[in-house]
Amino acid sequence: FNASAVSISSSSSPYKNWTFTNNTITIIFSNDSNPNKGLKGTPGAGGIAGEGTPSGTDGAMGAVSAAGSMGVMGQSNGFYTGPYISASFYNNIVSNLLNPVFTNTTGVFKHPDGVISTFNHSNVFGWQKNYGDTLSGIDKTGSISVDPQFLDYTNENYHLGSTSPCIDSGLNSAPSIPSVDLDGVGRPFGSIIDMGAYEYDGTVPEDFTIFIPLI
């Protein structure tokens, strides 16, 4: 089965326009990613001996068939743009930090009848393919492919660490920038907006306070 964090498509023209700004997409995978092999076939029965004089001999048993191959892993995508969709992306983080990297995964994928005009100032990292083959000509100005350095992604803390390459790496003039991040921090914090759903303001979020033991 397929899995996509964001999947937009339409059944008919005209094209519908979508803009995605300052999202964090991470760890997307298909649950049915490792289907079993097909079973081996059982050997065929030998032929029965003829009754002539002299009598014939029994035919040999049929050979055991080989095991079937593994099923194909479901396609996993961060963003999927389907038919009759025209999409633009700005200031996003699209990462897949599972180790080892799952095969047949793509950060950004476009249907042949869809359009992605821009994927600007975004970070696409950790996929078998960061961009699908149909996206070879899109505008990737300002985009990177490096570990976003979340504070603790295994515990679903997707705030940026202090050395994250996504800090001050967005595009201030991108359309539809939210005025605050998911914590309510004003955007941009400083002179340049960050990539992703959170602005780095140098503080530790309340839900992730670190307590130092007294000695």
Side-chain angles (χ1 to χ4, degrees):
F1 293 91
N2 298 334
S4 297
V6 178
S7 177
I8 305 295
S9 64
S10 176
S11 59
S12 63
S13 60
Y15 276 64
K16 285 74 177 176
N17 298 314
W18 288 78
T19 300
F20 298 86
T21 306
N22 282 103
N23 297 282
T24 295
I25 302 297
T26 188
I27 312 179
I28 307 302
F29 62 94
S30 171
N31 285 329
D32 285 341
S33 59
N34 199 23
N36 294 325
K37 290 183 177 181
L39 299 176
K40 290 183 177 181
T42 57
I48 299 175
E51 296 180 352
T53 304
S55 60
T57 57
D58 288 345
M61 291 287 288
V64 178
S65 66
S69 60
M70 294 291 288
V72 177
M73 179 183 293
Q75 178 80 36
S76 299
N77 309 293
F79 283 116
Y80 169 76
T81 298
Y84 304 111
I85 295 296
S86 178
S88 300
F89 300 87
Y90 300 89
N91 303 347
N92 297 284
I93 299 174
V94 189
S95 62
N96 194 8
L97 302 178
L98 298 173
N99 189 18
V101 176
F102 283 168
T103 59
N104 206 24
T105 61
T106 308
V108 185
F109 186 81
K110 180 185 74 67
H111 188 276
D113 292 330
V115 174
I116 294 181
S117 58
T118 56
F119 200 89
N120 286 7
H121 292 78
S122 297
N123 186 9
V124 187
F125 174 78
W127 308 84
Q128 184 185 35
K129 288 184 177 181
N130 287 328
Y131 300 94
D133 295 336
T134 57
L135 292 171
S136 57
I138 65 170
D139 179 4
K140 304 173 188 173
T141 301
S143 290
I144 57 178
S145 180
V146 289
D147 189 335
Q149 298 182 28
F150 297 128
L151 279 181
D152 187 359
Y153 83 91
T154 58
N155 290 309
E156 301 181 2
N157 182 353
Y158 304 126
H159 294 84
L160 302 176
S162 61
T163 59
S164 170
C166 300
I167 296 173
D168 295 340
S169 298
L171 179 66
N172 286 352
S173 60
S176 304
I177 291 178
S179 59
V180 296
D181 73 357
L182 289 184
D183 288 334
V185 176
R187 308 197 92 150
F189 185 86
S191 59
I192 303 175
I193 195 170
D194 298 344
M195 296 176 181
Y198 296 102
E199 283 285 297
Y200 177 77
D201 64 356
T203 63
V204 177
E206 182 179 348
D207 291 344
F208 298 93
T209 302
I210 299 174
F211 295 94
I212 301 175
L214 295 176
I215 298 176

